[in-house]
Amino acid sequence: MTRYQPTEFSVTVRAADARTLRVAVRGDLDYDTSDDFALAMYDTLHAHAEEHGPTLRDLHLDWAELNAFDSSGLSALLGLRRRAHSAGISLHLDRRPEFLVRMLQVTGIADHLTQPANRGVPSSSPAIGEGESAPMS
Amino acid sequence: MRDGCRTTIFFRAAERWWGAQCVPPLVIPSPGTSERPRGGDIGTAWSDAPCPAVLVDSGGSVVEANDAARALFGRHTADGSAQSGLPHWLAEAHRRLGTAGLPAHVVSGAVAHRTFQAHPSPGEGGNVVWWLVEDTALRSAEQALRSERERTALLADISGALLSSLNVDRCTEVTARMAADHLADAALIVTPAQGRRHSLTHAQADRAVTQTTAHIDAGSVPGLAEALQGFPPVPTRWIDPEDLPDWVVPPGFDRPIGSVIVTPLPGHGVPAGVLILLRSSTQRAFTDGEEIFARLFAARAGAALSAARLYAEQASITATLLQELLPPRLERVHGVEYAGAFRASQDHERVGGDFYDVHPGADPSKETVVVLGDVAGKGLEAAVLTGKIRTVLQALLPLSGDHHQVLGLLNDALLHSRHTRFATLVLASARRRSGQVELRLTSAGHLPPLIIRADGRVEEADTGGMLVGALPRIAVRSTDVVLAPGETCLLYTDGITEARGGPLGDQLYGEARLQEALRECARMPARAVVERVQMIAAQWLGEGRHDDLATLAITNPVGGHGALRIVDGHEDRRRRREER
Amino acid sequence: MAESLGSAAPEGLADRLWAAVIGRDESTAVRTVCAAADSGVDEETLLLDVVAVVQHRVGVEWAAGRISVAEEHAASAITDRVVAALAHRHAAAAGPGSRGRVTVACADGEWHALPARLLAEVLTRRGWSVDFLGARTPTPHLIADVHRTNPAAVLLSASIPTHLPAAHKAVTAVQSLGIPVMVGGAAFGPGGRYARLIQADAWAPDARTAADRLAEGLTAPQSSRRHQVDDLPHLADQEYTFVKNSRTVLVRQCLAVLDERGPDMGTHSPARRERTAEDLAHLVDFLAAALYVDDDALFTTFVAWTADVLTARRVPARGLVHGLSILAEQLHDFPRALAFLGTAAEALPVTSVPPGPGITV
């Protein structure tokens, strides 16, 4: 009660069907939790694929209860985008708090993160952004 | 020691017996010719009593002695005895008892190399029975316990003192000091050779410890060369003082040397050195117990010394590696002030994921290139990546006229490296022209620099772009800014604006507060601006956790270009270097 | 080093430096002092009787509301450059110190580096090799440096009493290595009373005394003595720990009370509210420091000084009285804290200041 205590970090599946997955991210996504985030998203996507097969098209991340976000969080998000796109899944960043909007604006990668995934060529290559068009002029 | 109950009963019985029979004075007979007093059972009890007892009259003469006393005093040599045949200490105690009329005190002393406590029981007519209870074994046990305790306490002290410091010189000094104070008259520590020279640390009582390095022949002291090897362990050696070379004897030690021992200081796999203990011939030689103690001491000292040596080596390696990663010291270059400040996220660290550099132009007509940036992550790992980025940027300096090109090439370099981490940064090119400082600023995914105008307005530089190292191609937008005298361009990392704290504990510091604070920084020197911002951030944070905090100010000084270079000629050196 | 012609600073030199510093004229400031050094004025005199005097005046002027915090920073930056210029002159003229090695540092959190810097310069001129670690030295850095350099002594500076716990930590840590620590600076109280309390090996009221005292030699502490620290038995009541750890809760509660009592109590605009919160936080910080050393005078002095600062800015000090009483309501279970708050409130002058533009706590 005395000092600022970070809200417990959590990743929760809000809703899921074959094509769409909605996930809420709560607390601080930062240096200390970015690995947890990556693992949790990996597990979530894996579980979805187990249940439905490779049908997922849209991954919605709800940020309404995000408390803080730093460059490690951004790094984790870039990693997620890479994995999602290689499976033909598009990212959607919903209900962004002001600081997240600012972070994405300053770093210039909002469009890159939410670019629709290319369904035609499901690539399994881990190379970053391979086969993508330049996201910004 | 309190009288035991049994003694008291015995004493009562004897007193009655003395009262009844007036025993004539007797000279203590020689052992074996015991003449037992008559008087039935009580007399037998007295004479057969296991502890020596003597009846002494008021004049100090022995009236009667039992068998045990006769046997004991018969063995006592005459020179330790008063005329009465009693040992001096007992005769003296008896006299004091008679004259002062003091309450009966237990006294103790030695008889025939054994120690006794003598308990007086005053009887009639100034007669006193002295019961002698032997405590030789107890005393020697107590003595042994005491010295053992002293040694244990000393070892604990020594360990505490030795393990406190991780400085090799200090550890060596403390070891020598303690050895000279507790083990010998003088002590010398010889450390394994550094190159061809050994370090010699001399200590003796009441003198300062001296440390010198010298070229010595280890073979000149028997056992020294082996002990310096450290392994296999060699036993402590006793040496003939005649064989000692001069350098073993501490400077100013003028007494003849009586005994010497050489003990290795065992390290953790590496030899820590050798301890040589010297005693002057006026002191007794080392006992076996002391030698064992010296070895215990050496074991602790050796462990502490090798820990200190390991720490020093590690610290020196770390310092060498960190040197390249530490933020540089900044100063005025070609009439433009630069000042930077960095605070790592962890107080015990000196480096992190924030970085900055200033690359001075070859001459005042050339641009000075400034970079400030941030990679994801913290601590050494992040710092290593910043080191790579700084190196790449340095290599790209010849292209710095075109920020887009530099950032594009940096992006390629990071993309194709094994790391998949990215960086955000601001590039600035600065040049002073006719009293103005012209800046070209380009942000690659980084917070835009803030311009503090001389009138206190704070503007955000109109530059933006994408972070480097994550996407195959990046786009950036540069801007030109002119600083009039007293104006500053502040580059900073988001550790400042994302500092969480304040009086309510959980608020983000934020860009608005920073801009508000910077309004007060118009016409301030660059150094003052960065310190002010760092201080505000530190106060906002209190003791809360935080990210790396970096700030860099580029200032057109109020004093104008005439302003002097006052800091240590660094700039000259740099210029010379670049001219070469 | 130039031959010294005398130990007195030339008439008016401090005034001239003051004018240059406050006019943000760095080059004139540096030139003024260097010219005096060139003409033979003793450098120690310049440092302690000119530069330090000017810096002291900067603090006084700020407290009196005649210069802003930013101007204070600007002035400090310039005096720092003046000291650097003198250091540069000296370094060019003198060789390495012959007297031994010492470390000079500021306690963790302490931003006022100039007193320590001046001390470092004085010691350098007296023949010591000085490792100057600068402002706010984290204790781990200090200890690592001490391990590396094995100094004869560490000299630790602190100006603000809220850094006393950090200074105490640094002092015991260095002493546990068997190295003596001398402390100095306003934080250690009148006559250095808190220096004795935290069992520093020595205390000096100023740089000259520190240098003299150091020359006499300090007795190394027995390292084992400092492995267990029980300097402050009064901490057993946990009041310090509670107040320190409850800082933000206390501030929030006080703000809530102010909100209840009406919009005129210093919380009517977000900016005003944040100032009020900061003022309350400062009160809590100094109360905690006073509890740490168990001296109500520490808190009373701070409150009186704050009252002066507020008065100089035409802010009525009754806001301060009000803040003290609200804080006391929150701390009713803490007898030491309550007593300190009471003593401080009584010491405030009950002057009726004309209503200013706002009320701060």
Side-chain angles (χ1 to χ4, degrees), chain C residues 16 18 79 101 166 182 195 216 250 259 269 277 285 287 326 348:
Chain C
R16 273 182 287 144
W18 165 259
T79 48
R101 199 161 182 171
M182 189 191 303
E216 291 166 15
L250 285 169
D259 285 341
S269 79
D285 289 343
L287 179 61
I326 291 177
L348 280 177

Side-chain angles (χ1 to χ4, degrees), chain C residues 162 243 247 251 276-289 299 302-303 306 319-325 327 341 344 361:
Chain C
T162 50
V243 170
R247 181 187 195 248
V251 170
T276 302
E278 282 172 3
D279 291 344
L280 284 166
H282 277 130
L283 282 179
V284 175
D285 289 343
F286 276 82
L287 179 61
F299 188 60
F302 170 72
V303 170
T306 306
L320 190 58
V321 180
H322 198 58
L324 290 174
S325 75
L327 209 46
L341 287 164
V361 167

Side-chain angles (χ1 to χ4, degrees), chain B residues 289-505:
Chain B
E290 283 173 329
E291 191 198 311
I292 291 168
F293 183 66
R295 272 167 31 205
L296 286 174
F297 173 86
R300 278 160 176 73
L305 273 168
S306 55
R309 209 173 288 281
L310 271 177
Y311 175 84
E313 277 168 21
Q314 296 297 320
S316 139
I317 291 168
T318 309
T320 308
L321 295 177
L322 279 189
Q323 203 55 45
E324 286 297 306
L325 301 177
L326 288 174
R329 286 175 59 91
L330 306 182
E331 59 208 5
R332 186 172 296 197
V333 179
H334 304 322
V336 183
E337 272 185 12
Y338 301 92
F342 170 74
R343 181 177 176 193
S345 60
Q346 302 293 319
D347 270 347
H348 59 269
E349 285 173 345
R350 289 167 200 263
V351 296
D354 288 3
F355 60 98
Y356 55 78
D357 266 318
V358 171
H359 303 282
D363 62 64
S365 72
K366 304 283 192 307
E367 286 179 334
T368 292
V369 179
V370 178
V371 59
L372 173 137
D374 180 4
V375 303
K378 290 183 182 180
L380 193 56
E381 202 188 346
V384 169
L385 183 57
T386 68
K388 287 179 180 162
I389 293 172
R390 288 166 68 182
T391 308
V392 170
L393 282 170
Q394 177 137 32
L396 295 173
L397 279 180
L399 306 173
S400 64
D402 184 347
H403 285 184
H404 294 66
Q405 193 184 4
V406 169
L407 292 167
L409 289 168
L410 176 64
N411 188 54
D412 291 349
L414 290 178
L415 261 185
H416 295 123
S417 79
R418 203 165 45 79
H419 290 275
T420 50
R421 286 195 298 181
F422 60 86
T424 72
L425 57 95
V426 173
L427 269 187
S429 295
R431 178 170 45 180
R432 184 182 186 90
R433 203 144 58 177
S434 51
Q436 312 278 317
V437 173
E438 298 173 356
L439 289 175
R440 193 167 67 265
L441 299 167
T442 310
S443 160
H446 199 87
L447 287 163
L450 295 171
I451 314 298
I452 309 160
R453 295 300 180 190
D455 60 4
R457 278 177 300 125
V458 177
E459 303 164 358
E460 196 176 276
D462 182 23
T463 170
M466 295 158 70
L467 46 77
V468 291
L471 311 184
R473 259 161 295 171
I474 62 160
V476 293
R477 186 179 73 253
S478 302
T479 187
D480 292 327
V481 169
V482 175
L483 299 179
E487 296 185 337
T488 291
C489 170
L490 181 76
L491 283 53
Y492 65 100
T493 57
D494 58 7
I496 303 284
T497 42
E498 284 171 23
R500 201 181 275 274
L504 300 180

Side-chain angles (χ1 to χ4, degrees), chain A residues 4-36:
Chain A
Y4 160 69
Q5 298 289 331
T7 315
E8 194 64 37
F9 174 75
S10 70
V11 174
T12 318
V13 176
R14 282 277 170 76
D17 59 34
R19 292 183 55 92
T20 310
L21 190 57
R22 292 179 187 278
V23 173
V25 184
R26 202 176 281 129
D28 296 0
L29 178 48
D30 61 12
Y31 180 73
D32 296 322
T33 57
S34 55
D35 286 347
D36 297 346

Side-chain angles (χ1 to χ4, degrees), chain A residues 1-2, chain C residues 245 248:
Chain A
M1 78 167 199
T2 52
Chain C
N245 291 344
T248 57

